[in-house]
Amino acid sequence: MTHYIYLVRHGEHQDAEHGLVDGPLSPRGIRQAEHIADRLSGLPLDTVWHSPLLRAAETARAIAERLPAVDPMPSALLFDCVPTGMTEDTPAAYEPFFGSISDAEIEAGRAQMADAVNEFLQRKQGEVHEVLITHNFVIAWFVREVLGAPDWRWMTLNQANCGLTVIAQKPGRPWSLLTHNDLGHLPMELRTGMPDPIPA
């Protein structure tokens, strides 16, 4: 019996192009959410968790509309956050990113993700199918955790809007990464949200 977690980045939101932190889904984001809902609709989902931010809550609502037996629930452990600062091993190219992030924000993000890993990466009994609708950095941290990669490597793992990442654990085995940022359910014109690469 396998425990599956389906990690989904929220759909594109209307205020993204204006640099605002949150906002409702854009028309394109609504379509993205509908497509990921269709992708997940054949699964025997037990739970759908989502970040309390509006863009994640509206993505969860789109899934619930197609899966009426599912009642999405917010979790503060899935808020957008920055889980680490610069480390000795972090490439210098990432320094500008951290220039606008306070030590308090990093400490809060580190604590949040430690609690999130303890909460969600605990093996549950039987066959389990959970969806977590959250943010780019949060998904990157989960993938980094599953792969046992150095802390700073979350920065190299990016997710598109409504991309699908799947991790799973069989009894007696470690967590495994089954797929990362799968966009097969999205038409090309709906593939958005990948951060710009850091210049070399």
Side-chain angles (χ1 to χ4, degrees):
M1 306 295 272
T2 304
H3 182 181
Y4 294 95
I5 298 179
Y6 306 90
L7 297 160
V8 176
R9 187 182 180 193
H10 58 80
E12 178 187 76
H13 61 104
Q14 289 184 15
D15 296 323
E17 63 188 42
H18 305 296
L20 300 180
V21 172
D22 198 19
L25 294 181
S26 67
R28 187 160 52 179
I30 292 170
R31 291 180 60 205
Q32 292 166 341
E34 290 169 348
H35 280 281
I36 189 64
D38 288 341
R39 175 78 180 270
L40 297 171
S41 64
L43 299 171
L45 299 180
D46 299 293
T47 314
V48 174
W49 296 96
H50 64 86
S51 160
L53 291 177
L54 182 58
R55 58 191 186 266
E58 289 196 351
T59 304
R61 193 173 307 129
I63 291 174
E65 287 173 358
R66 281 168 162 67
L67 300 167
V70 172
D71 184 17
M73 295 178 289
S75 171
L77 297 178
L78 299 176
F79 261 123
D80 203 4
C81 70
V82 176
T84 67
M86 286 290 291
T87 70
E88 291 182 1
D89 299 323
T90 309
Y94 292 101
E95 283 187 31
F97 169 81
F98 290 108
S100 62
I101 311 296
S102 71
D103 290 344
E105 288 174 301
I106 291 168
E107 190 56 39
R110 180 182 291 114
Q112 175 189 318
M113 291 316 301
D115 289 345
V117 166
N118 288 333
E119 175 71 21
F120 293 111
L121 296 189
Q122 292 300 314
R123 181 73 172 92
K124 296 180 173 66
Q125 296 299 314
E127 186 90 0
V128 179
H129 296 262
E130 295 181 293
V131 176
L132 308 185
I133 300 167
T134 181
H135 306 277
N136 187 37
F137 296 164
V138 175
I139 295 171
W141 187 260
F142 276 115
V143 173
R144 182 218 60 80
E145 181 74 19
V146 166
L147 295 177
D151 285 358
W152 69 270
R153 294 294 303 210
W154 66 270
M155 300 195 70
T156 68
L157 298 164
N158 291 312
Q159 284 66 226
N161 293 119
C162 287
L164 177 63
T165 294
V166 184
I167 59 177
Q169 186 184 46
K170 294 181 181 293
R173 299 184 187 181
W175 284 92
S176 298
L177 177 65
L178 301 187
T179 186
H180 178 253
N181 198 37
D182 183 354
L183 304 180
H185 50 285
L186 294 177
M188 289 299 296
E189 68 272 14
L190 295 184
R191 297 182 183 185
T192 66
M194 291 292 285
D196 293 333
I198 292 178

